[in-house]
């Protein structure tokens, strides 16, 4: 009998939940991400109440998983493992979020990026099921990606930050993007705030046939071309607010095929297959599901 | 007692060798890659002679590994596993290179791309030693890369083809590159033939302080920026003919730091560390060493 505690720690909101297995949430709470001083104790209080309520039937919380906004430190050999590091979000720079719950909950705590959490969740029960190597990308307020290679999240030196790769501007492009670090990076050109800055209107208020979506699809396809050439994923899952514009999917598949120009000789690309570039299977439960998977991994270490 | 047979099957030359362990080559032969009908039997003949000569002391060949030029099929569940597939090299399209040796040698045969082979070799005894996640990139006649993530080569859908990612042209750029598939891709802009096409002189005849090397370094750095953001490697090994120009290394490190602009907050990048972007440790024995590692992997399956 095990009770997993999971946190999807987003820059906007925290999702806290406890589950008896990866698919069975027993109790869940969502609240805005304010300061660490306020938000972390609020999460802790939720877990204490949940455990109290559930322990007769399910036992105590045995481990915990956190999928956090970042940049974060995911190097388990580092003294800063489990910290939110150089984030621009006020108050959160150098926050030892994992350490807080290790101390307060006294259980093993698994930790990864929010997007790796979502990728793990999609791999378990969503659009990544049964695949060894795939990507989950979110195009929302920012652009980020979780990458699973040979069934494990990619970490490496720091962790991937796929949203800041530089794009080749389209013929006649005058917009440089909105990223304070880079001109023409994926996030700066494609995320929600970029759409608003370029067209003066947020994406959800633009008509489905607005030219914005052709521009958007061509840049997303260029980013995907690099991901395909570097990672060679078996599938790419595209989530986040901007991807609610479902008309983007066929445009992106078509443009990706044009850009690769036959170089990647595989039906997934040559036939613009609908099962290659897909929306998430779990929508807004991918991250929390991933957090439970991280909890289980921590328990077995 | 085991005797490994290894082939580094390059588009220009074949390197065949037998070894008693990954570091101890007992016999080696190199010859040009002509047609499959000529080249494969020549390799086979070498292994038969070598085995004959060595078997009293070392026993028979127990397994074999092939690191091949491509594109290749590295999906061990495919009916075309171990084939060289859509290569432009005359005569080699759809060649079942692995199958030939499985039939003729009757031993387990491991198979991977030439660049994954080199990466495995560098990981064992070269510049990738002790690292979980790193890349080996060759900038020679073409640009290719082998990627090790969590100690295993990346395959995924097909295999990485990191040389064909699109670059953002420099201010005022007039050259589109020499790739027949893409304008402004890494290989088309940076490989040896691109240098020759742009400057009218092959790279090895240009002076060390020619502006060609600034242009070259800026495009290589842009490619590395994407690799860093997507894979987050602990180290990047740069080999191949063009990288004999050692003055490129400090230029690339500097340019990479400028391009990332503080976004990847790690000393390897912020301090332009010399142990982050490095030349190969094994030079021209990386590939064959990787082939022995593939042989050992095949034996244990
Ligand atoms: N239906 C929509 N069409 C286009 N853009 C949208 C849509 N819904 C949300 N967005 C944009 O996506 C961004 C929010 O992304 P979301 O994934 O919901 O949140 P976050 O990235 O903060 O977790 C905003 O910039 C918003 O303008
Ligand atoms: N010292 C050098 N400086 C610059 N370019 C070089 C040098 N040596 C070889 N090259 C270029 O590298 C390419 C050959 O690359 P190499 O790695 O030796 O072989 P391959 O890629 O065919 O295995 C050629 O285009 C050649 O012009
Ligand atoms: Zn950026
Ligand atoms: Zn190309």
């Amino acid at each position: 009998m095990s009770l997993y505690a999971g946190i999807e720690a987003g820059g906007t909101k925290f999702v806290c939940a406890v589950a008896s297995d990866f698919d069975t949430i027993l109790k869940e709470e969502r609240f805005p991400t304010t300061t660490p001083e306020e938000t972390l104790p609020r999460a802790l209080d939720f877990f204490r109440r949940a455990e109290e309520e559930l322990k007769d039937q399910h036992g105590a919380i045995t481990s915990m998983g956190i999928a956090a906004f970042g940049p974060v430190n995911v190097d388990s050999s580092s003294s800063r493992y489990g910290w939110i590091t150089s984030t621009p979000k006020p108050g959160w720079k150098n926050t030892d979020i994992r350490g807080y719950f290790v101390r307060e909950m006294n259980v093993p705590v698994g930790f990864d990026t929010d997007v790796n959490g979502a990728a793990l969740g999609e791999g378990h029960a969503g659009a990544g099921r049964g695949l060894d190597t795939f990507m989950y990308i979110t195009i929302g307020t920012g652009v980020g990606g979780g990458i699973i290679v040979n069934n494990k999240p990619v970490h490496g030196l720091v962790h991937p930050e796929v949203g800041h790769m530089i794009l080749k501007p389209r013929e006649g492009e005058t917009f440089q993007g909105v990223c304070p670090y880079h001109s023409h990076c994926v996030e700066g050109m494609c995320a929600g705030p970029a759409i608003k800055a370029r067209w003066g209107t947020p994406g959800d208020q633009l008509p489905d046939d607005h030219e914005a979506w052709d521009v958007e699809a061509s840049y997303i396809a260029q980013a995907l071309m690099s991901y395909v050439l570097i990672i060679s994923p078996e599938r790419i899952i595209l989530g986040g607010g901007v991807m609610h514009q479902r008309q983007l999917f066929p445009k992106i598949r078509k443009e990706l095929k044009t850009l690769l120009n036959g170089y990647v000789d595989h039906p997934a690309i040559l036939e613009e297959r609908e099962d290659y570039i897909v929306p998430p299977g779990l929508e807004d439960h991918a991250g929390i599901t991933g957090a439970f998977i991280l909890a289980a991994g921590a328990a077995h270490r």
Side-chain angles (χ1 to χ4, degrees), chain A residues 2-168:
Chain A
S2 45
L3 201 59
Y4 300 128
I7 303 181
E8 184 189 346
T12 311
K13 68 175 186 307
F14 263 50
V15 181
C16 299
V18 291
S20 51
D21 61 54
F22 301 159
D23 309 301
T24 313
I25 292 181
L26 302 171
K27 210 173 153 67
E28 177 176 326
E29 207 167 286
R30 300 176 173 232
F31 45 85
T33 310
T34 60
T35 61
E37 293 70 29
E38 185 174 59
T39 311
L40 300 184
R42 185 159 176 186
L44 178 65
D45 179 61
F46 163 77
F47 291 119
R48 291 204 166 133
R49 280 184 288 112
E51 187 172 42
E52 194 55 41
E53 189 180 307
L54 296 165
K55 79 170 169 221
D56 287 348
Q57 215 189 324
H58 297 275
I61 288 171
T62 43
S63 66
M64 186 166 171
I66 304 174
F69 74 99
V72 292
N73 185 319
V74 292
D75 172 4
S76 59
S77 69
S78 163
S79 62
R80 301 180 1 135
Y81 174 54
W83 290 33
I84 293 176
T85 56
S86 54
T87 182
K89 189 167 166 80
W92 286 86
K93 201 179 172 104
N94 295 326
T95 299
D96 181 11
I97 174 169
R98 177 178 174 275
Y100 175 82
F101 290 99
V102 168
R103 280 188 300 277
E104 298 292 339
M105 302 278 295
N106 202 24
V107 293
V109 180
F111 186 80
D112 214 321
T113 61
D114 49 2
V115 278
N116 272 340
L120 286 170
E122 287 289 329
H124 170 69
R129 252 169 97 164
L131 303 179
D132 290 343
T133 297
F134 66 94
M135 290 184 79
Y136 168 86
I137 298 162
T138 174
I139 305 178
T141 305
V143 174
I147 308 179
I148 306 293
V149 168
N150 295 324
N151 296 304
K152 279 199 203 162
V154 176
H155 294 148
L157 185 73
V158 186
H159 52 70
E161 282 286 0
V162 305
H164 293 271
M165 216 181 59
I166 302 301
L167 296 170
K168 171 172 155 183

Side-chain angles (χ1 to χ4, degrees), chain A residues 265-296:
Chain A
D265 181 15
H266 192 284
I269 288 162
L270 298 179
E271 296 164 14
E272 302 172 34
R273 255 174 30 193
E274 289 185 14
D275 63 354
Y276 189 59
I277 295 169
V278 303
L282 297 181
E283 290 293 353
D284 65 348
H285 272 84
I288 195 73
T289 305
F292 300 140
I293 297 171
L294 294 170

Side-chain angles (χ1 to χ4, degrees), chain A residues 213-233:
Chain A
W213 306 119
D214 292 320
V215 175
E216 184 74 11
S218 82
Y219 284 123
I220 294 174
Q222 201 195 127
L224 265 49
M225 176 179 181
S226 293
Y227 306 153
V228 167
L229 291 169
I230 298 176
I231 300 285
S232 191

Side-chain angles (χ1 to χ4, degrees), chain A residues 141 143 163-170 172-199 215-216 219:
Chain A
T141 305
V143 174
H164 293 271
M165 216 181 59
I166 302 301
L167 296 170
K168 171 172 155 183
R170 286 157 55 103
E173 178 64 86
T174 53
F175 184 63
Q176 302 226 339
V178 297
C179 175
Y181 294 88
H182 319 109
S183 326
H184 304 112
C185 76
V186 181
E187 179 168 307
M189 298 296 279
C190 298
I195 297 175
K196 174 129 196 271
R198 186 196 281 269
W199 305 102
V215 175
E216 184 74 11
Y219 284 123

